[in-house]
Amino acid sequence: MRASIRYCATPAGRVAYSTMGSGPPLLCDSGWITHLRGQLDLLSFGAFVERLAERFTVIRYDKPGCGLSDRDGVDLSFDGQVAAALAVVDAVGARRFRLFGASQGGQLAAAIAARHPERVEALVVYGMCADGRDLASAEVRKSVVDLVRAHWGMGLKALAGAFITDPTADEVAEFARFQRTSASASVAARLLEVYYETDVGALLPEIRTPTVVLHREADGGTGFGLGREVAARIPGAVLIPLPGSSHMFYHGDWAAVLEAMLGFLCEPAPTGKPLTGREFEVAELVTEGLTNQAIARRLSVGPRTVETHVENVRRKLQVRSRAQIAAWLTEQRLRRHP
């Protein structure tokens, strides 16, 4: 799979972008630094995007200063990155769109959803924190930025271990090649500084877009508690804990991330069959990310009873996944409390 590259002018500098697939537009920000073509060959990133493109028009772009975008005289600030993303969807002609942001891209996606609710139909964030300062102590953050700026190669090896759990030598080399071609040392260091300095916490309560927060329970780059805090601060957001420890959504069990994402973004079919009170209660607990066993303990019933209720909910809503149940319930809440 290869991307056809186009360019558009943005307030932050000229940006390269591509579209793949057909269907509703889905703007994707994969985080920190990017390379439109190089990323497709990185680990399972290409397979992930290809599957998304079966359902959506996937819109990807290189951040200002990265990949095939302009490298010189660009605005690397957080607001500059937001402006660049919006210019890309304008260039594609997407008045309304769905939005996926991973890691640092989650901050950007949350800011767009909060500031432009009329444009964002649904929001998915993965491995996100609200405040970059929560990722590590001030001393650690400074040492990482200094390492990247002074010795990009050595910095790459250190960061590969933080993003990928127990990376093989080949994975470290692959990750290093991708990052080295994506940005210069100075740009990579400055974008990392911007990430560490950005706090979107005040924007989260303003988000009214149906939102799902995906986070691996043992994420080695961004602790699970930070993702849980994001979900708690966005009204009506659904938290879906995922197994695994790799910070990169396209590493490890990437299919589980994709399934949760598609389950939320692909709207459930309308149904005229109302849920019973108990079924609605079970649906609410599913939305909280509880397993059938945990729901059984909460309701003091047997796990098999919960399984039956969950299957009845799926049948009545005509959906397949727990994420789609969560999406339906979130939509009901937003209709009652817009």
Side-chain angles (χ1 to χ4, degrees):
M1 182 172 58
R2 287 290 179 266
S4 298
I5 311 300
R6 294 181 174 84
Y7 285 88
C8 68
T10 83
R14 190 173 55 179
V15 163
Y17 71 93
S18 73
T19 60
M20 298 180 186
S22 60
L26 171 63
L27 178 65
C28 296
D29 188 319
S30 58
W32 187 27
I33 54 178
T34 60
H35 196 295
L36 280 174
R37 284 185 172 159
Q39 241 168 329
L40 293 176
D41 297 323
L42 178 63
L43 304 174
S44 297
F45 188 94
F48 192 98
V49 171
E50 189 171 14
R51 290 284 301 279
L52 283 180
E54 294 174 0
R55 303 285 191 91
F56 301 98
T57 299
V58 179
I59 307 167
R60 299 168 50 239
Y61 65 101
D62 277 332
K63 291 178 180 293
C66 294
L68 301 173
S69 292
D70 283 356
R71 298 284 186 109
D72 300 319
V74 295
D75 180 3
L76 301 179
S77 70
F78 182 74
D79 285 342
Q81 294 179 49
V82 171
L86 289 170
V88 168
V89 287
D90 286 342
V92 173
R95 188 183 65 84
R96 285 177 59 79
F97 52 91
R98 293 165 171 84
L99 185 53
F100 171 59
S103 191
Q104 185 268 348
Q107 290 185 324
L108 181 141
I112 291 175
R115 296 172 182 172
H116 302 279
E118 76 286 354
R119 302 200 63 177
V120 182
E121 294 182 345
L123 172 65
V124 178
V125 295
Y126 167 90
M128 175 192 168
C129 68
D131 188 345
R133 292 171 297 184
D134 292 335
L135 292 169
S137 67
E139 293 77 14
V140 170
R141 297 197 308 270
K142 182 178 185 304
S143 67
V144 173
V145 170
D146 289 346
L147 183 61
V148 169
R149 183 176 285 118
H151 197 312
W152 202 190
M154 186 182 299
L156 283 169
K157 292 179 181 178
L159 289 167
F163 293 150
I164 303 174
T165 303
D166 299 324
T168 65
D170 287 344
E171 287 175 335
V172 171
E174 185 178 354
F175 197 67
R177 282 194 300 271
F178 157 70
Q179 291 196 326
R180 192 175 291 110
T181 58
S182 294
S184 66
S186 60
V187 167
R190 180 54 193 150
L191 287 174
L192 191 56
E193 279 183 323
V194 171
Y195 182 22
Y196 287 154
E197 294 166 357
T198 300
D199 180 3
V200 297
L203 293 175
L204 299 182
E206 299 178 15
I207 295 175
R208 293 296 181 268
T209 300
T211 301
V212 67
V213 178
L214 309 178
H215 212 107
R216 284 182 170 144
E217 293 172 306
D219 189 323
T222 302
F224 179 76
L226 298 178
R228 182 174 54 198
E229 178 66 17
V230 168
R233 297 172 73 173
I234 298 176
V238 177
L239 172 66
I240 300 183
L242 298 170
S245 55
S246 288
H247 182 59
M248 314 307 293
F249 63 89
Y250 47 89
H251 182 258
D253 189 5
W254 60 271
V257 181
L258 180 72
E259 180 182 0
M261 182 175 173
L262 290 176
F264 183 79
L265 289 176
C266 298
E267 297 178 357
T271 176
K273 300 176 182 178
L275 302 185
T276 66
R278 177 62 92 179
E279 289 167 350
F280 198 88
E281 187 176 14
V282 168
E284 287 184 318
L285 294 175
V286 167
T287 300
E288 292 180 17
L290 299 183
T291 64
N292 285 354
Q293 290 75 14
I295 294 173
R297 289 193 296 270
R298 180 78 66 87
L299 299 179
S300 299
V301 298
R304 299 285 275 199
T305 300
V306 173
E307 289 176 13
T308 299
H309 285 313
V310 171
E311 287 308 311
N312 286 341
V313 171
R314 285 175 174 165
R315 177 176 51 79
K316 288 183 176 181
L317 299 184
Q318 300 177 39
V319 301
R320 292 184 299 173
S321 72
R322 300 171 80 88
Q324 286 176 306
I325 294 175
W328 176 84
L329 187 57
T330 300
E331 180 65 24
Q332 301 307 305
R333 290 170 176 169
L334 289 173
R335 286 178 179 176
R336 292 197 300 269
H337 305 287

